[in-house]
Structures are given as C-alpha cells and as structure tokens.
Amino acid sequence: MKKLKICLVNADFLPSRGSGQAVYAEKLAAGLAEKHDVIVVTARIEGAPLREKIGKFFVERIPAPKFDPSKWIGFGYQAAAFLHNQEFHKKYDIIHFLDAHVAYAYKGPFVATLHQSFHQRITGDKGLPYASSMQNLIKRYPYYQLSHYLEFLALRKANACIAVSDATREAFAQHYRFNPSKIHRVYNGIDVNRFRPMDTAFLRQKYHLKNEKIILYIGFSTPRKSVETLTHALRYLKTKKVKLVIVGKWEGGYRDKVFKGLGKERNQIVETGYVPDHEIPAYYSLADIFVLPSLLEGFGFPLVEAMACGTPVIGTDVGAIPEIIRDCGIIVSPQRPTELAEKIDLLLNDRQLQTRLITKGMNRVLSNFTQSGMIRDTLHFYRKTVAAYARAKGKS
C-alpha cells in the first residue's frame, strides 16, 4: 500500500512531557514512522534543537509564547501560520492535530483526536469546573469558557476525528453537534512488553514497606482526579496495615486541599513525587489495588497500564472508565469515600476475586489496548480520510 506522509501537531513533545497527549504523540509518531514518513510539529523549548530526527521521524519546533498559561492557545495560532506558510496541506496526506482544540486557527484540511471536551470540564464537578479553591475556580472559569469556544471553532472545520473511547465520541457528538459518522473510535494502546508484572523488592526497600497492603494512585494530580476521595477513604477502611502510594506531580494548590483535614491516616500515605518512566511498571506491580477516583476520564491510561501489570483496578462511574474496565475491575460512584473504602476492603480480602480480575484485565488489554492495535486502527482511519479527500477533490 502507498506510503503516507503524515504531519502530527501537538504542543507538548519530547524532551518535554507535561501531559498524556505527549505520551500519545510519542507512541503514535514512533509506530507510524515504521512504514510511513512522519513529522511532528511542536512548541519550541529551551535547549532543544529547532529540527531533529528521533528514531525514524522528524520533529519541527516552532516559536510559541513563553507566557501563555494555557500552553496551547498561542501555539495553536503559531502552528496554523506555520502549516499555512510552509504549505503543509500540499506536502502531506494527513495533518493530524492530536488534541482537537489546538486546531482552532487552522484553515486547511485536517483530522483531530478527541480526548475530553471543555464542555465536560466546565460542568464536570456538579455543574461547575473542577477547582482546588474559590480563587482557583474564578481563575479557571473564564479560561474554560474561552477554550470551549475555540474548541467549537476547531470542530466546525475538522474533516474527521478520532475519539479515544465510545464515551468520548458520544460526548462530543452530543455537546458539539458533530456528525457522529465523522468520529471514529480508536482506543489508545500501550507497550505490553514494557507494562508487565515486575519484581518490586527495590521499591519495598526504598519506601521501607514490609507486609503492608498497597493501594496505588498514579497521575498528574489535579482537581479533576478527585484524589481527596481516595485519601479520605483511608479513614473508613477496616483492613489493617494498608499504605496508599501516590505517584506523580501536583497542580499548584491542589495538594493542600487533598491533605487538609486528614488525621492519623496521613501516616498511611507515601508520596513519591516524579518517577522515571522505566520504573512505572514496577509501581503498578507493587500494588495490591490501583484506584482511579476521577470525576472525568476520556480514556484512562493508568487503568490499562495497571491491568497489564497484573494489578486489580477500581475506578469511578464517569466518562470512559466503565467502558475501559468493563467486568475486569470494580466500579464505584464518584466522590463517595465510604463506598470506595468498602470496595477496597472487599478486594483486599477476597483472593479469588483478585485472581479473576487480574486474569480478565490482562486479557482485555491484550485484546483491545495494545500499541500495535492503536497504530493499525489509526492507519485505517487515515486511509479512509485520504480516500474521502480524493473523492471530494474529484467532485470539485
């Protein structure tokens, strides 16, 4: 089949990695470049070359405003100008914005990936945006309103979109009146050779863990993740000798909200901060249970990574979480620490249930969430889109 020329556009990319979209971009670029010509257009960062080759694909870094707190609005404008001036629409078969709203200023043909909408973020916490404080809410609300408008502009122009889950597909079709036939679901995928059960003796030694049961949370902690639901659940646990390990960085101000009001359960919490990528599978393997207590997830990478490492999962009944877990884990109501504690106790003390969920989870990952499957399905989407371009051109 014809080799495609593919341009991926994402504000965040190597050597920076400030979001899940950056991980998605890396996996997509590397996988597609095995058989196709790929260039990634991203924001310039200090110390990185303007143009370089990483593996089999190229990276082009363009100027973006340094003092743009959104990290994407200014880049979206600059990327649109760069793609237009360089006539990328004539040079590449596919221009793919890896987060749809970034395409708000671009006027050529493009496709985009849908993760979670700003409509969902504005209304996600009982009709209001997620926030760590009233001051944070006042700051966040106008930003979300502007972003929602720019996202609407981008979707009006998109030729077709990838949604990372059926839940995401339905949300965008409903809230933005985007034609569902133009949204194709392609699940995110992980490297199952990397995410697998591993030895964890070095972690138990590092954090002075002996025979405690381990509950794990991994992610960039923001109000949307509702980590306080998990920390507050500790006080209701009946199981003794339990530690909660929290891996990752925090949004400014949110950590104080999470730990405010905690009593003796504070001593049950181990914070690791940033952890190198190569060690992440060991943390999943260390855990008896992985918990994702979010208020919204368009996909939920950590759930899939945990299942691949043989760790039972608990997630909230929001967004794509039930779709990803299905009967391979336990679903709980959001913001209900007592219910969460009850299910943690159940899973920690039922070995047969643990074994059943571990087996089902690992099989589900291999059947639905592999990196090779994501690349295959993305290429299928690209070829359908290129064919549609050709038909439209023939009619004009």
Side-chain angles (χ1 to χ4, degrees), residues 163-171 184-187 298 320 323 326:
V164 296
S165 65
D166 288 326
T168 295
R169 180 178 181 269
E170 292 167 9
H184 304 258
R185 190 261 285 150
V186 176
Y187 282 137
E323 176 186 343
R326 290 197 177 177

Side-chain angles (χ1 to χ4, degrees), residues 186-189 368-379:
V186 176
Y187 282 137
N188 287 326
N368 296 276
F369 306 123
T370 63
Q371 192 166 317
S372 59
M374 177 183 71
I375 299 302
R376 178 197 64 225
D377 293 347
T378 300
L379 280 169

Side-chain angles (χ1 to χ4, degrees), residues 229-258:
T229 300
L230 179 53
T231 57
H232 290 167
L234 294 175
R235 70 183 62 169
Y236 302 110
L237 288 179
K238 296 178 181 178
T239 307
K240 306 301 181 183
K241 293 185 178 180
V242 174
K243 290 282 189 181
L244 167 60
V245 177
I246 298 177
V247 177
K249 298 179 180 180
W250 295 83
E251 179 185 289
Y254 180 54
R255 183 181 179 278
D256 293 338
K257 177 183 178 180
V258 169

Side-chain angles (χ1 to χ4, degrees), residues 179-249:
N179 186 346
S181 67
K182 292 186 176 182
I183 306 177
H184 304 258
R185 190 261 285 150
V186 176
Y187 282 137
N188 287 326
I190 64 169
D191 182 353
V192 292
N193 292 316
R194 177 171 162 242
F195 287 97
R196 54 186 175 79
M198 299 183 66
D199 180 74
T200 62
F202 77 100
L203 292 179
R204 287 198 168 271
Q205 182 178 14
K206 180 177 181 178
Y207 297 110
H208 308 289
L209 301 170
K210 296 180 180 178
N211 58 351
E212 297 96 337
K213 299 289 187 181
I214 304 299
I215 304 166
L216 177 69
Y217 165 83
I218 290 181
F220 178 55
S221 296
T222 71
R224 178 172 65 84
K225 299 297 185 179
S226 194
V227 181
E228 64 271 25
T229 300
L230 179 53
T231 57
H232 290 167
L234 294 175
R235 70 183 62 169
Y236 302 110
L237 288 179
K238 296 178 181 178
T239 307
K240 306 301 181 183
K241 293 185 178 180
V242 174
K243 290 282 189 181
L244 167 60
V245 177
I246 298 177
V247 177
K249 298 179 180 180

Side-chain angles (χ1 to χ4, degrees), residues 322-331 356-357 360-361 364:
E323 176 186 343
I324 301 305
I325 292 178
R326 290 197 177 177
D327 62 347
C328 305
I330 295 176
I331 300 295
R356 185 164 69 250
L357 295 181
K360 283 188 171 185
R364 178 151 174 75

